[in-house]
Amino acid sequence: MLSAPLAAHMACDAAKLDFSRIFRGQFVLSQSTELSLDGYRVTELCEDWRLHHCRALPYARLTDQNGKPAGVVLGIAVDGAGVLVTDGYRLTASFEAFVTDAAGRYVAFDAAGAVYADPTGSMGVVYDTNTRTVASTPLMCLNRPIIDNPRFDADAIQAGRGSYALGFTRDTFVRGVMPNHRLDLSDFSLTRFWPRADATYPTDTPEQTIAAMGQRLSDVIEAVAKGHPTLLPLTGGRDSRNLAAAAKPHLAHIVQSYTFVSNWQGQIDAKLAEQLAEALALNHQTYASYINTAQDRDTLPRPARKRQKMAYRLAGGYVGDANNDVLDGLARKVPKGVVLRGNVMELLKANHWKRGLARDAAHPDGHDADYATERLAILPEGGAATVAAFKPDYLAWKVTLPEGAQALAYDFAFVESLLPGWQPKFYGYTRNFLLNPFSDRALIEGCLRLPVAERQANAYNDALLAHLAPELSAIPFTPDVKLARTAAA
C-alpha cells in the first residue's frame, strides 16, 4: 500500500520546491490508511477506497437516481445535455453512460469500483498495480524514486524529441488510463467501453453533422463559461477561431480573450487576434515577451526559468518542458480561471492521416501500421527505430478497436495515444485550469463520420466557421499572411 512521503514530496524536497504549489490540482486514489496529504480533501469511495484530492481542484459528488452516492468527478465535465456537472449532480442513466456523454477535462470515479479518463486524456490519470494506486501523475502514484522505462529516452522526451505513448509513462511500472477505457479497481484491468461494437450511427449529411457539432461545441462552452471565469486564447489559426465562433452567443460570460507573443509568428497571431476580437466585441489583451527580435525577449532571470522548468517537469510527470509563455513569465499575467484550448480539433483536418492515403473515411485504402507507429513520435531516432521497438504495442492496441472503428485507427491513435502522451503538461499550469471544449465523444464521433480527404483539405473547418460565425471567415489566417509576406519579400 502507498504511504507518504510520496515521490512527489521527495522530488520537491530535493529541488527545494513547495509540494502544495507544484502539485496543486492533483489527486491520489488508494486503500491505504497511512496516506495523508496536507491541503488535500479526502472523499470515501467504495470498499475502503479513499480519494485524496487538492482543494483547489473542482469536484462533484454524484448520486444515482435514488439519491445514493454514485461516484465523484474531479475536474470540469459537461453532461450530454449541456449541463455543467456540479456537486450533488444526479445521474439519469448508468455511470458509464454518463461518462460516455460527458465533455471536458476530468477524471470520473464510479462508486461501483471503476475509473475513467476524459475523452482525450486531457486530465491525466495513471495507475500502479503493485501498490494498487491511481493518481494524476507518476510522482503522485509512487513512494519511491521513478524507475526509468528502458524503452524510452527520458532526456529526449523532456526536451520535446519523443513521447510516452500507448499508455506508457516514464516509470516502468506506472501506466496511463487510456481514454475510452475503464480501469477496474478489483483487478486493475483495462477494458474498452467506447466505441461500442454494436453502436449504430445516423446517416446525416456533412451539413447536418457540422450543424450538430457546432451546437454541441457551443453548448459545452456555454456551460463552462457560465460556471467558471473563462478565458479564450486567440491566434491566427483555425482552432481558436472556431472556438471563438462557437462561443459567440455566450461572449458575455467570457472574461477576456488574449494572445501570447513569444516569437515572430506570434506578432502575426496578435494582429489577427485583435481583428477577431474587434469583430466579436471581445475584451482582448496581448502579452508580449518578443518585440522585434529574439534578442529583445523579456524573459525571467535564468535561475527563475530553471526553477520553472523543474516545477513543470515534476508536475506533469516528465512529459516535456514548459512552453515559452510560462518560461517568460507571461502566464502569471493572465487572470485566473478556465482557459479554453483547441487541441482536439485537429481531428477536423485529419491531421493524423497520411496525406493521400485515404479517399474516404469509411473506405480507406488499407492501413499502414508502420506509418501509424511512426506518427506516435516515440523515439528521437526517427520512424524506423520507433517501428522496430513499438509496432507490436501499436498493433496490440489497434486490435482492441471494434470492427466498425478499425478503418479510423489513425484518428483513434491520435485521441487515445498521442494526445494523452503530452497533455499531462496541463498539470503544470497551476494558476489556470486548461480545458478542451472539443474533448467530447459526440464531437469526436462527428469528425470521424466526415470524409478524410475533405477533412484534410480543411473543408469542414471552413464549414464550421461559416455555420457559426461567417463574419470571421474574411479575416486571414496566419499561414496566409506568412505566405503573402514571403511572396512580397
Side-chain angles (χ1 to χ4, degrees), residues 88-113:
Y89 178 93
R90 178 167 290 196
L91 298 175
T92 58
S94 70
F95 193 92
E96 192 159 282
F98 157 76
V99 170
T100 301
D101 292 342
R105 179 176 171 228
Y106 61 86
V107 180
F109 303 86
D110 186 350

Side-chain angles (χ1 to χ4, degrees), residues 284-306:
H284 185 78
Q285 180 69 46
T286 298
Y287 302 101
S289 66
Y290 180 100
I291 311 302
N292 294 305
T293 68
Q295 285 70 39
D296 294 329
R297 292 183 71 90
D298 175 19
T299 64
L300 292 173
R302 184 179 178 86
R305 287 173 68 89
K306 187 175 180 180

Side-chain angles (χ1 to χ4, degrees), residues 115-117 121 125-127 134 167 175-179 181-183 190 420:
V115 182
Y116 300 82
V125 52
V126 300
Y127 64 97
V134 182
R175 299 296 301 270
V177 177
M178 298 181 76
H181 291 69
R182 173 199 320 109
L183 178 68
L190 272 181

